[in-house]
Amino acid sequence: METPEDISKAMEIVPIMEAFIKQVKAVVKEKLLEDPDSIPGFKLRGSGKVTSYEASKVAEILMSTNVVTWDDFLKACRYSEQPMVTVWADKRGISKAEARKDLKKRLADVSKESPKSPAIIKDNG
């Protein structure tokens, strides 16, 4: 892969290779989950644990200590749009689409958008 043309040709097969790799890994994982000795030379390893907390219960416990303020607590939390869309729709008696639109409008002044990492696509032009 020395020339741009060589790199372009190699890039053409990347989506196929990625799909193949994903499929192979899924099959291997399924087999190893069924029988840890089923694929010679490979095994599953634990990948740790994810800890999550219910924000309302955390707030109740931490606020009872009188150590942190509501502002401190909220600065440590992250707002997720989708769960609030459901709550907002239910509480207001509107559709989720209407709730999403209403929330976006209400929260426009406090929102911040960041660009996602660019993706490579085939230029068919």
Side-chain angles (χ1 to χ4, degrees):
M1 289 197 303
E2 295 182 15
T3 69
E5 291 76 19
D6 290 341
I7 296 169
S8 179
K9 286 178 185 175
M11 189 63 196
E12 290 279 342
I13 63 171
V14 166
I16 297 165
M17 293 170 57
E18 287 176 333
F20 175 74
I21 291 166
K22 185 176 180 180
Q23 184 178 6
V24 170
K25 288 173 92 174
V27 169
V28 170
K29 186 174 185 178
E30 181 182 330
K31 297 288 184 191
L32 290 173
L33 285 169
E34 290 172 7
D35 176 8
D37 299 320
S38 63
I39 309 293
F42 292 89
K43 64 180 181 178
L44 294 175
R45 68 169 171 84
S47 57
K49 294 181 182 180
V50 175
T51 303
S52 60
Y53 300 92
E54 189 175 325
S56 61
K57 291 181 180 179
V58 170
E60 185 179 326
I61 291 167
L62 295 181
M63 297 313 293
S64 70
T65 66
N66 292 319
V67 174
V68 294
T69 65
W70 275 105
D71 194 47
D72 295 330
F73 178 74
L74 292 173
K75 284 179 183 174
C77 294
R78 179 164 282 222
Y79 170 78
S80 295
E81 182 182 276
Q82 189 53 47
M84 185 54 73
V85 166
T86 302
V87 171
W88 199 250
D90 290 346
K91 297 286 185 179
R92 306 237 13 248
I94 58 178
S95 71
K96 288 184 181 181
E98 292 170 311
R100 181 175 287 105
K101 186 176 178 181
D102 186 43
L103 284 169
K104 283 193 178 288
K105 182 179 174 184
R106 289 175 186 271
L107 302 176
D109 291 341
V110 295
S111 67
K112 179 178 109 179
E113 290 187 0
S114 301
K116 293 182 177 180
S117 178
I120 300 170
I121 61 169
K122 174 77 172 133
D123 182 2
N124 293 319

